[in-house]
Amino acid sequence: IGKRSNQPITFFSDSMSERAATHVKRVSELVEGLERGELILFGQPQYAPNKTLCGLEILARWQHPEEGILGPAAFIPVAEESGLIVRVERAIIEKTLEYLPAFRKRHPHVRLSVNISAKHFAEPDFVQVLLEMINQSECEASDLILELTESAMVHDIGLVAEKMNSLRSAGCEFSLDDFGTGYSSLSYLRQLPFSEIKIDRSFVMDAPEGGTSADIVEMIVKLGETLKTRVVAEGVENREHVRFFDDRYPNVNLQGYYFAKPEPVGHWLSEPSGFSLA
Ligand code: C2E
Ligand code: CA
Ligand code: CA
Ligand code: CA
């Protein structure tokens, strides 16, 4: 029970043991869910400044037999703690690779972004297994963008760079997700082959009001120019957000509820490739 033996064992309240029981239940349900193929793909589009589709982020959902469609908050943390995240994300990647050919017919030059947990990325065979999955599919490595958060970079940076570089030379791109919310060092970022930085929605949300969030957005856009990466703003919810970027940072790509909510990926096979500002 006590995680560290040199600390006094803390009293386990009812709510804590209930939570632990829920966790154990979720883990075993998730194992079954993986076996039954219950993980499904949602996708949320990204738009270039001319409002044409330029990307689709794959977001995991769990089609739970009793509870309906569950969002990532209900199972990604559980999967990370239990180590199931590797199986979860391999299932997501496999389904993404199966989906891609149909998406390609509709949107020939648009890549799919998938989220990779730091824990999964740290697996010694991450690169090898991913390249094998791509090889066995009809897709190319260059069809994928891997979204990593700063937490993937806290370990042996030499090893992180080595893995990223070998995938980059195979054609995969990397996107730095939720940027500004973690602890990555700028000197490390310079050494890593990122093609894209995503401004976390917590900064985007308040940016039109000015103040610190607007300053941070400014800093990230400048960083993107310095590192020669694309910049994506996430959590673009309303006209003010769109106007903020159109006026000041017209090169930033936009993703958010203002344009589209995440939808089951089938939806994006019939959607037009432009967004009209009605
Ligand atoms: P994220 O990578 O930052 O993904 C964007 C999240 O913001 C999505 O939540 C999306 O629905 C939400 N969002 C998009 N536009 C807006 C907006 O305008 N306003 C607001 N308030 N929210 C917006 P979702 O789908 O619930 O995913 C939450 C997080 O779960 C993701 O955050 C990502 O970190 C994680 N996640 C999803 N799929 C995977 C996966 O396969 N692996 C891992 N490791 N994490 C995943
Ligand atoms: Ca993401
Ligand atoms: Ca994000
Ligand atoms: Ca985020």
Side-chain angles (χ1 to χ4, degrees):
I1 290 170
K3 265 196 178 164
R4 298 194 192 141
S5 54
N6 60 344
Q7 283 183 357
I9 293 184
T10 45
F11 179 66
F12 232 32
S13 74
D14 279 355
S15 79
M16 281 167 80
S17 57
E18 268 166 35
R19 242 189 296 146
T22 311
H23 179 91
V24 171
K25 179 167 163 270
R26 271 282 186 253
V27 171
S28 61
E29 283 179 346
L30 188 52
V31 171
E32 287 171 29
L34 278 163
E35 281 158 8
R36 291 196 291 246
E38 289 167 5
L39 293 184
I40 57 170
L41 309 183
F42 272 47
Q44 186 180 36
Q46 296 167 357
Y47 291 93
N50 64 3
K51 305 298 180 281
T52 59
L53 187 81
C54 66
L56 187 77
E57 178 175 4
I58 300 299
L59 295 158
R61 297 288 184 268
W62 181 4
Q63 177 87 63
H64 190 281
E66 286 118 42
E67 295 169 48
I69 293 177
L70 300 179
F75 62 97
I76 294 290
V78 167
E80 282 175 337
E81 283 167 43
S82 61
L84 284 174
I85 191 67
V86 175
R87 289 178 60 191
V88 164
E89 288 184 342
R90 281 183 189 164
I92 296 297
I93 293 166
E94 244 150 37
K95 288 192 173 169
T96 300
L97 294 170
E98 284 165 19
Y99 167 71
L100 214 142
F103 181 78
R104 235 327 90 76
K105 282 188 192 142
R106 189 85 190 81
H107 308 285
H109 305 294
V110 180
R111 297 168 193 247
L112 300 183
S113 299
V114 291
N115 291 284
I116 304 294
S117 155
K119 215 167 178 181
H120 183 196
F121 187 74
E123 283 288 295
D125 61 357
F126 176 77
V127 173
Q128 190 200 332
V129 173
L130 178 62
L131 291 177
E132 273 167 19
M133 284 195 284
I134 294 169
N135 272 336
Q136 282 162 18
S137 76
E138 294 169 43
C139 308
E140 310 282 331
S142 59
D143 291 326
L144 294 182
I145 299 176
L146 306 179
E147 294 197 1
L148 297 178
T149 58
E150 291 164 86
S151 55
M153 273 142 270
V154 297
H155 303 296
D156 183 348
I157 199 73
L159 198 56
V160 169
E162 197 181 301
K163 286 176 159 179
M164 287 180 71
N165 284 325
S166 50
L167 285 168
R168 185 72 197 95
S169 36
C172 287
E173 284 196 0
F174 286 92
S175 173
L176 181 55
D177 201 0
D178 299 344
F179 184 64
T181 61
Y183 300 92
S184 55
S185 134
L186 294 179
S187 67
Y188 284 172
L189 287 187
R190 200 185 43 179
Q191 300 169 38
L192 300 173
F194 282 104
S195 307
E196 179 180 286
I197 300 176
K198 295 185 86 170
I199 309 173
D200 190 67
R201 77 164 172 269
S202 57
F203 305 121
V204 172
M205 198 165 25
D206 306 327
E209 290 154 38
T212 322
S213 293
D215 292 344
I216 291 171
V217 168
E218 166 95 9
M219 185 208 79
I220 298 174
V221 172
K222 291 239 169 82
L223 181 66
E225 285 166 8
T226 305
L227 298 175
K228 300 191 172 55
T229 64
R230 297 186 298 273
V231 176
V232 181
E234 53 180 28
V236 174
E237 288 187 351
N238 56 48
R239 274 171 195 282
E240 285 63 48
H241 293 145
V242 177
R243 206 168 295 135
F244 175 85
F245 285 97
D246 281 354
D247 289 350
R248 301 195 205 188
Y249 311 112
N251 295 323
V252 170
N253 296 334
L254 306 178
Q255 175 179 357
Y257 293 167
Y258 178 78
F259 297 100
K261 296 210 164 168
E263 300 280 357
V265 286
H267 178 88
W268 304 112
L269 298 178
S270 53
E271 195 67 3
S273 20
F275 177 85
S276 62
L277 282 168

Short mmCIF file of all heavy atoms in Angstrom, two decimals, residues 56-90:
data_model
loop_
_atom_site.label_atom_id
_atom_site.label_comp_id
_atom_site.label_asym_id
_atom_site.label_seq_id
_atom_site.Cartn_x
_atom_site.Cartn_y
_atom_site.Cartn_z
N LEU A 56 -5.24 16.45 -39.40
CA LEU A 56 -6.31 15.84 -38.62
C LEU A 56 -5.65 15.16 -37.43
O LEU A 56 -4.78 14.30 -37.60
CB LEU A 56 -7.08 14.81 -39.46
CG LEU A 56 -8.33 14.23 -38.80
CD1 LEU A 56 -9.49 15.23 -38.86
CD2 LEU A 56 -8.76 12.92 -39.47
N GLU A 57 -6.02 15.60 -36.23
CA GLU A 57 -5.47 14.96 -35.02
C GLU A 57 -6.37 13.82 -34.60
O GLU A 57 -7.59 13.99 -34.44
CB GLU A 57 -5.35 15.96 -33.86
CG GLU A 57 -4.82 15.26 -32.60
CD GLU A 57 -4.55 16.18 -31.42
OE1 GLU A 57 -4.84 17.40 -31.50
OE2 GLU A 57 -4.05 15.66 -30.40
N ILE A 58 -5.75 12.65 -34.45
CA ILE A 58 -6.49 11.46 -33.99
C ILE A 58 -6.59 11.50 -32.47
O ILE A 58 -5.57 11.67 -31.77
CB ILE A 58 -5.76 10.17 -34.45
CG1 ILE A 58 -5.66 10.12 -35.99
CG2 ILE A 58 -6.45 8.93 -33.90
CD1 ILE A 58 -6.98 10.09 -36.72
N LEU A 59 -7.80 11.38 -31.95
CA LEU A 59 -8.04 11.40 -30.51
C LEU A 59 -8.74 10.10 -30.12
O LEU A 59 -9.76 9.74 -30.71
CB LEU A 59 -8.87 12.63 -30.14
CG LEU A 59 -8.14 13.96 -30.40
CD1 LEU A 59 -9.12 15.11 -30.54
CD2 LEU A 59 -7.13 14.24 -29.29
N ALA A 60 -8.18 9.42 -29.13
CA ALA A 60 -8.70 8.10 -28.75
C ALA A 60 -10.01 8.21 -27.98
O ALA A 60 -10.21 9.14 -27.19
CB ALA A 60 -7.65 7.38 -27.89
N ARG A 61 -10.90 7.28 -28.23
CA ARG A 61 -12.13 7.13 -27.45
C ARG A 61 -12.31 5.65 -27.15
O ARG A 61 -11.81 4.80 -27.89
CB ARG A 61 -13.37 7.61 -28.25
CG ARG A 61 -13.36 9.09 -28.61
CD ARG A 61 -13.59 9.98 -27.39
NE ARG A 61 -13.67 11.39 -27.74
CZ ARG A 61 -12.65 12.23 -27.76
NH1 ARG A 61 -11.43 11.79 -27.49
NH2 ARG A 61 -12.82 13.50 -28.06
N TRP A 62 -13.03 5.37 -26.09
CA TRP A 62 -13.32 3.97 -25.71
C TRP A 62 -14.82 3.75 -25.81
O TRP A 62 -15.59 4.37 -25.07
CB TRP A 62 -12.82 3.72 -24.29
CG TRP A 62 -13.03 2.33 -23.77
CD1 TRP A 62 -13.54 1.24 -24.42
CD2 TRP A 62 -12.72 1.89 -22.45
NE1 TRP A 62 -13.56 0.15 -23.59
CE2 TRP A 62 -13.07 0.52 -22.36
CE3 TRP A 62 -12.17 2.51 -21.31
CZ2 TRP A 62 -12.89 -0.22 -21.19
CZ3 TRP A 62 -12.00 1.77 -20.16
CH2 TRP A 62 -12.36 0.42 -20.11
N GLN A 63 -15.20 2.88 -26.72
CA GLN A 63 -16.61 2.51 -26.86
C GLN A 63 -16.89 1.46 -25.78
O GLN A 63 -16.76 0.26 -26.01
CB GLN A 63 -16.82 1.94 -28.28
CG GLN A 63 -18.22 1.45 -28.56
CD GLN A 63 -19.12 2.56 -29.05
OE1 GLN A 63 -18.88 3.14 -30.11
NE2 GLN A 63 -20.14 2.89 -28.26
N HIS A 64 -17.25 1.96 -24.60
CA HIS A 64 -17.43 1.09 -23.43
C HIS A 64 -18.77 0.38 -23.54
O HIS A 64 -19.78 1.01 -23.87
CB HIS A 64 -17.35 1.94 -22.16
CG HIS A 64 -17.27 1.16 -20.89
ND1 HIS A 64 -18.37 0.58 -20.32
CD2 HIS A 64 -16.21 0.86 -20.09
CE1 HIS A 64 -17.98 -0.05 -19.21
NE2 HIS A 64 -16.68 0.12 -19.04
N PRO A 65 -18.80 -0.94 -23.26
CA PRO A 65 -20.04 -1.69 -23.48
C PRO A 65 -21.22 -1.19 -22.64
O PRO A 65 -22.37 -1.26 -23.09
CB PRO A 65 -19.67 -3.13 -23.10
CG PRO A 65 -18.35 -3.06 -22.43
CD PRO A 65 -17.68 -1.81 -22.88
N GLU A 66 -20.97 -0.69 -21.43
CA GLU A 66 -22.10 -0.20 -20.61
C GLU A 66 -22.18 1.31 -20.54
O GLU A 66 -23.26 1.87 -20.46
CB GLU A 66 -21.99 -0.73 -19.17
CG GLU A 66 -22.33 -2.20 -19.01
CD GLU A 66 -21.13 -2.99 -18.51
OE1 GLU A 66 -20.43 -2.48 -17.62
OE2 GLU A 66 -20.89 -4.09 -19.03
N GLU A 67 -21.02 1.98 -20.59
CA GLU A 67 -21.02 3.42 -20.30
C GLU A 67 -21.03 4.31 -21.54
O GLU A 67 -21.01 5.53 -21.42
CB GLU A 67 -19.83 3.76 -19.40
CG GLU A 67 -19.94 3.10 -18.03
CD GLU A 67 -18.66 3.21 -17.22
OE1 GLU A 67 -18.10 4.32 -17.14
OE2 GLU A 67 -18.21 2.17 -16.70
N GLY A 68 -21.02 3.70 -22.71
CA GLY A 68 -21.02 4.51 -23.92
C GLY A 68 -19.61 4.98 -24.27
O GLY A 68 -18.63 4.37 -23.84
N ILE A 69 -19.53 6.06 -25.04
CA ILE A 69 -18.22 6.51 -25.51
C ILE A 69 -17.51 7.32 -24.42
O ILE A 69 -18.03 8.33 -23.96
CB ILE A 69 -18.38 7.35 -26.80
CG1 ILE A 69 -18.87 6.43 -27.93
CG2 ILE A 69 -17.05 8.00 -27.19
CD1 ILE A 69 -19.13 7.15 -29.23
N LEU A 70 -16.34 6.83 -24.01
CA LEU A 70 -15.58 7.51 -22.96
C LEU A 70 -14.43 8.29 -23.58
O LEU A 70 -13.77 7.82 -24.52
CB LEU A 70 -15.00 6.48 -21.97
CG LEU A 70 -16.01 5.60 -21.23
CD1 LEU A 70 -15.27 4.62 -20.32
CD2 LEU A 70 -16.99 6.45 -20.42
N GLY A 71 -14.16 9.48 -23.04
CA GLY A 71 -13.04 10.30 -23.48
C GLY A 71 -11.74 9.82 -22.87
O GLY A 71 -11.74 8.99 -21.95
N PRO A 72 -10.61 10.36 -23.36
CA PRO A 72 -9.29 9.91 -22.91
C PRO A 72 -9.08 10.06 -21.41
O PRO A 72 -8.35 9.26 -20.81
CB PRO A 72 -8.32 10.79 -23.68
CG PRO A 72 -9.08 11.53 -24.69
CD PRO A 72 -10.54 11.38 -24.43
N ALA A 73 -9.68 11.05 -20.79
CA ALA A 73 -9.47 11.25 -19.35
C ALA A 73 -9.91 10.03 -18.55
O ALA A 73 -9.39 9.76 -17.47
CB ALA A 73 -10.23 12.50 -18.88
N ALA A 74 -10.85 9.25 -19.10
CA ALA A 74 -11.37 8.08 -18.38
C ALA A 74 -10.45 6.87 -18.49
O ALA A 74 -10.61 5.92 -17.73
CB ALA A 74 -12.75 7.73 -18.91
N PHE A 75 -9.51 6.89 -19.43
CA PHE A 75 -8.68 5.67 -19.56
C PHE A 75 -7.20 5.90 -19.87
O PHE A 75 -6.39 5.02 -19.60
CB PHE A 75 -9.29 4.71 -20.59
CG PHE A 75 -9.38 5.26 -21.99
CD1 PHE A 75 -8.39 4.97 -22.92
CD2 PHE A 75 -10.44 6.06 -22.36
CE1 PHE A 75 -8.47 5.48 -24.21
CE2 PHE A 75 -10.52 6.58 -23.65
CZ PHE A 75 -9.54 6.29 -24.57
N ILE A 76 -6.82 7.07 -20.40
CA ILE A 76 -5.39 7.26 -20.70
C ILE A 76 -4.55 7.30 -19.40
O ILE A 76 -3.54 6.60 -19.31
CB ILE A 76 -5.15 8.52 -21.58
CG1 ILE A 76 -5.76 8.34 -22.98
CG2 ILE A 76 -3.65 8.85 -21.68
CD1 ILE A 76 -5.07 7.34 -23.88
N PRO A 77 -4.95 8.05 -18.36
CA PRO A 77 -4.16 8.02 -17.13
C PRO A 77 -4.07 6.62 -16.52
O PRO A 77 -2.99 6.19 -16.09
CB PRO A 77 -4.91 8.99 -16.20
CG PRO A 77 -5.66 9.90 -17.12
CD PRO A 77 -6.06 9.03 -18.28
N VAL A 78 -5.20 5.89 -16.52
CA VAL A 78 -5.22 4.51 -16.02
C VAL A 78 -4.26 3.65 -16.84
O VAL A 78 -3.50 2.84 -16.31
CB VAL A 78 -6.66 3.95 -16.10
CG1 VAL A 78 -6.68 2.45 -15.88
CG2 VAL A 78 -7.56 4.64 -15.09
N ALA A 79 -4.29 3.84 -18.15
CA ALA A 79 -3.42 3.06 -19.04
C ALA A 79 -1.95 3.39 -18.79
O ALA A 79 -1.09 2.51 -18.80
CB ALA A 79 -3.79 3.33 -20.50
N GLU A 80 -1.67 4.68 -18.53
CA GLU A 80 -0.27 5.08 -18.28
C GLU A 80 0.23 4.46 -16.98
O GLU A 80 1.33 3.94 -16.92
CB GLU A 80 -0.15 6.60 -18.27
CG GLU A 80 -0.15 7.17 -19.69
CD GLU A 80 -0.15 8.70 -19.75
OE1 GLU A 80 -0.59 9.34 -18.76
OE2 GLU A 80 0.28 9.24 -20.79
N GLU A 81 -0.61 4.52 -15.93
CA GLU A 81 -0.18 3.99 -14.63
C GLU A 81 0.01 2.48 -14.66
O GLU A 81 0.88 1.95 -13.98
CB GLU A 81 -1.21 4.33 -13.55
CG GLU A 81 -1.12 5.77 -13.08
CD GLU A 81 -2.34 6.15 -12.25
OE1 GLU A 81 -2.77 5.34 -11.41
OE2 GLU A 81 -2.88 7.25 -12.48
N SER A 82 -0.81 1.79 -15.44
CA SER A 82 -0.76 0.33 -15.43
C SER A 82 0.18 -0.24 -16.49
O SER A 82 0.39 -1.44 -16.54
CB SER A 82 -2.17 -0.22 -15.68
OG SER A 82 -2.62 0.21 -16.95
N GLY A 83 0.72 0.62 -17.34
CA GLY A 83 1.59 0.13 -18.41
C GLY A 83 0.82 -0.30 -19.66
O GLY A 83 1.42 -0.64 -20.67
N LEU A 84 -0.53 -0.29 -19.58
CA LEU A 84 -1.33 -0.66 -20.76
C LEU A 84 -1.24 0.35 -21.89
O LEU A 84 -1.70 0.08 -23.00
CB LEU A 84 -2.80 -0.82 -20.36
CG LEU A 84 -3.20 -2.09 -19.61
CD1 LEU A 84 -4.66 -2.00 -19.18
CD2 LEU A 84 -2.97 -3.31 -20.50
N ILE A 85 -0.67 1.50 -21.62
CA ILE A 85 -0.62 2.57 -22.62
C ILE A 85 0.05 2.09 -23.91
O ILE A 85 -0.33 2.52 -25.01
CB ILE A 85 0.09 3.84 -22.06
CG1 ILE A 85 -0.09 5.02 -23.00
CG2 ILE A 85 1.57 3.59 -21.76
CD1 ILE A 85 -1.50 5.55 -23.11
N VAL A 86 1.03 1.20 -23.79
CA VAL A 86 1.72 0.72 -24.99
C VAL A 86 0.72 -0.03 -25.88
O VAL A 86 0.64 0.22 -27.08
CB VAL A 86 2.92 -0.18 -24.60
CG1 VAL A 86 3.57 -0.79 -25.84
CG2 VAL A 86 3.94 0.62 -23.79
N ARG A 87 -0.08 -0.92 -25.27
CA ARG A 87 -1.08 -1.65 -26.06
C ARG A 87 -2.16 -0.72 -26.58
O ARG A 87 -2.64 -0.87 -27.71
CB ARG A 87 -1.68 -2.77 -25.22
CG ARG A 87 -0.70 -3.90 -24.98
CD ARG A 87 -1.29 -4.98 -24.09
NE ARG A 87 -2.49 -5.58 -24.66
CZ ARG A 87 -3.31 -6.39 -23.97
NH1 ARG A 87 -3.05 -6.67 -22.71
NH2 ARG A 87 -4.37 -6.89 -24.55
N VAL A 88 -2.57 0.22 -25.73
CA VAL A 88 -3.61 1.18 -26.14
C VAL A 88 -3.15 1.95 -27.38
O VAL A 88 -3.86 2.03 -28.39
CB VAL A 88 -3.96 2.15 -24.99
CG1 VAL A 88 -4.73 3.37 -25.49
CG2 VAL A 88 -4.74 1.42 -23.89
N GLU A 89 -1.94 2.50 -27.31
CA GLU A 89 -1.50 3.33 -28.43
C GLU A 89 -1.13 2.51 -29.67
O GLU A 89 -1.32 2.99 -30.79
CB GLU A 89 -0.35 4.25 -27.99
CG GLU A 89 -0.93 5.33 -27.07
CD GLU A 89 0.04 6.39 -26.61
OE1 GLU A 89 1.27 6.17 -26.70
OE2 GLU A 89 -0.42 7.43 -26.15
N ARG A 90 -0.67 1.28 -29.47
CA ARG A 90 -0.45 0.45 -30.66
C ARG A 90 -1.77 0.19 -31.37
O ARG A 90 -1.84 0.20 -32.60
CB ARG A 90 0.22 -0.87 -30.28
CG ARG A 90 1.72 -0.69 -30.06
CD ARG A 90 2.37 -2.02 -29.75
NE ARG A 90 3.76 -1.80 -29.33
CZ ARG A 90 4.50 -2.70 -28.71
NH1 ARG A 90 3.98 -3.89 -28.42
NH2 ARG A 90 5.74 -2.44 -28.38
#
